[in-house]
Amino acid sequence: MKTDGRAAEPRAVGVRRDFADIPDRVKAWAEIALGGAVAEAAGQRGGMSPGCAARLTTVGGRRAFVKAVGSELNPDTPNLFRKEIALLSRLPSVPYRPEPIATYDDGDWVALMLEDVKGRHPDLSDRADADAVWATVLEQVDELTPAPDGLTLPTMAETAQRWLARWADVVEQPGHFLPDSAVSRVDELHERTRSLPRRLHVSPAPGEEQGTTSRQPATLCHCDLRDDNLLIRPDNTVAILDWGMARLGPAWADPFFLALSWADSPEFDVRMADVGADEDAVTDLLLLFAVAQGWRAQQPAPPGLPTLPEFCRSEAERMFAGVARRL
Ligand SMILES: Nc1ncnc2c1ncn2[C@@H]1O[C@H](COP(=O)(O)OP(=O)(O)O)[C@@H](O)[C@H]1O
Ligand SMILES: [Mg+2]
């Protein structure tokens, strides 16, 4: 067990705005929601949204976590926050999701206030941290299978379809996007991933009747289970954060996204075998995600996300190492 109390440095780290520098109207909302003037705002490391992410303490000692973003920082991030807010309002209260306290949306700036989790990011190279997080994610998969009714969310199959479109650029210039080990077999790799949307299909997908085509029931999947979106409390219980990327997908999707932390080691294979996921589907999703991230690494950084291309590059590198091992 980790006992030194040092926080591990998360893989995804962006550049944030301080709480002091967000618009006055958003700060005023936070103080009303918290019931007191903010005495301390501790900016948090981990994750890439360009707004503020801070643990607030009032003069009277009340605490809460707030994240806030406006379209001037990035035009898409406010919508991610809106999706997260809409989803959290529909999910039941469980010990592994911090409770929403209040939300703010003036059509430009969007903010979410949550119960403050006094915890640290897990060190996923540490066995005890890894097992605690893994067990919590499996517990949540159980809870969210089948997915709660009436969610209008994209599906993993649609995401795979979007990622597949990136092959068009990749096959034209494989050396620009892929490591050498993949360049030499680009056609074969492309072929493997073509049928992934069908293999990721879940039932019912939005707009589909219960009990139709697919044998896989739809799970509500978080799809962004990295160390930066997880906290471990001093009693070793785990909190799962940040629902902006949620999708409907197969039950093995969230174990897969968490296992990506070990993509470049056989631990990935052992963990995915444990959940009984189809081995080829796992390899092909790993491959398609690697291609999608390798492509993104070569695009200009979006506004407010200067560290994104380098993050995608290093993620793609680790995932391609996993693909080479599994093939
Ligand atoms: N409820 C919370 N309590 C304490 N810290 C939190 C809480 N939610 C998020 N954080 C911290 O803030 C960071 C950013 O929050 P997150 O919801 O992941 O936003 P982002 O969209 O920027 O990734 C997390 O990595 C974590 O360190
Ligand atoms: Mg995050």
Side-chain angles (χ1 to χ4, degrees):
M1 189 192 304
K2 261 181 93 72
T3 51
D4 59 8
R6 264 186 300 117
E9 173 74 354
R11 299 209 298 284
V13 173
V15 178
R16 292 192 194 282
R17 184 160 289 201
D18 286 341
F19 179 75
D21 298 329
I22 66 173
D24 288 343
R25 61 188 190 278
V26 188
K27 280 188 283 195
W29 157 81
E31 298 201 321
I32 291 167
L34 252 176
V38 170
E40 197 196 325
Q44 298 301 294
R45 236 173 131 62
M48 287 195 199
S49 65
C52 90
R55 299 174 63 190
L56 307 180
T57 311
T58 65
V59 177
R62 291 225 193 112
R63 293 186 299 117
F65 168 81
V66 163
K67 65 179 189 177
V69 74
S71 58
E72 75 216 53
L73 300 179
N74 179 291
D76 301 322
T77 318
N79 275 335
L80 289 180
F81 281 28
R82 289 186 181 107
K83 285 186 196 163
E84 176 171 15
I85 288 168
L87 183 57
L88 287 181
S89 74
R90 305 193 58 135
L91 293 184
S93 164
V94 289
Y96 44 84
R97 282 191 298 269
E99 288 288 310
I101 298 172
T103 63
Y104 176 91
D105 190 344
D106 62 22
D108 179 359
W109 277 75
V110 182
L112 170 60
M113 181 179 286
L114 295 170
E115 165 200 350
D116 181 25
V117 177
K118 273 193 170 167
R120 58 177 172 83
H121 292 297
D123 174 356
L124 295 174
S125 66
D126 176 86
R127 168 66 57 181
D129 278 12
D131 287 348
V133 169
W134 185 254
T136 305
V137 167
L138 294 186
E139 189 180 343
Q140 180 173 263
V141 169
D142 262 359
E143 179 215 339
L144 300 178
T145 309
D149 283 338
L151 298 176
T152 43
L153 288 173
T155 64
M156 283 289 305
E158 288 163 342
T159 300
Q161 199 67 56
R162 191 162 50 79
W163 289 345
L164 273 176
R166 298 182 182 174
W167 273 111
D169 292 340
V170 175
V171 292
E172 286 222 335
Q173 261 187 300
H176 188 56
F177 298 102
L178 304 179
D180 291 346
S181 61
V183 171
S184 55
R185 49 202 301 198
V186 61
D187 292 335
E188 173 205 338
L189 298 182
H190 184 192
E191 194 53 40
R192 284 190 71 107
T193 55
R194 280 185 203 276
S195 62
L196 247 188
R198 183 173 47 72
R199 288 181 279 156
L200 292 170
H201 188 78
V202 287
S203 189
E208 200 177 76
E209 292 299 312
Q210 195 93 33
T212 45
T213 50
S214 169
R215 273 166 291 132
Q216 300 185 88
T219 299
L220 169 58
C221 307
H222 178 286
C223 296
D224 208 11
L225 291 171
R226 291 184 311 256
D227 48 5
D228 53 294
N229 288 332
L230 299 160
L231 290 171
I232 298 204
R233 303 183 185 91
D235 66 0
N236 279 331
T237 58
V238 173
I240 299 174
L241 318 167
D242 197 359
W243 284 82
M245 304 295 283
R247 280 164 176 50
L248 299 175
W252 56 271
D254 270 354
F256 170 89
F257 284 109
L258 177 58
L260 289 179
S261 311
W262 306 287
D264 49 356
S265 109
E267 177 150 8
F268 174 87
D269 310 329
V270 173
R271 298 236 178 220
M272 289 316 293
D274 275 356
V275 293
D278 178 83
E279 294 286 345
D280 281 335
V282 168
T283 304
D284 295 343
L285 184 58
L286 183 64
L287 166 61
L288 185 58
F289 197 13
V291 170
Q293 293 287 68
W295 179 89
R296 206 158 182 196
Q298 299 302 328
Q299 312 306 311
L305 300 171
T307 61
L308 185 67
E310 172 51 27
F311 168 73
C312 292
R313 193 206 55 73
S314 85
E315 289 292 282
E317 183 178 285
R318 294 187 323 100
M319 289 191 271
F320 276 120
V323 170
R325 181 187 67 248
R326 288 175 67 88
L327 291 178

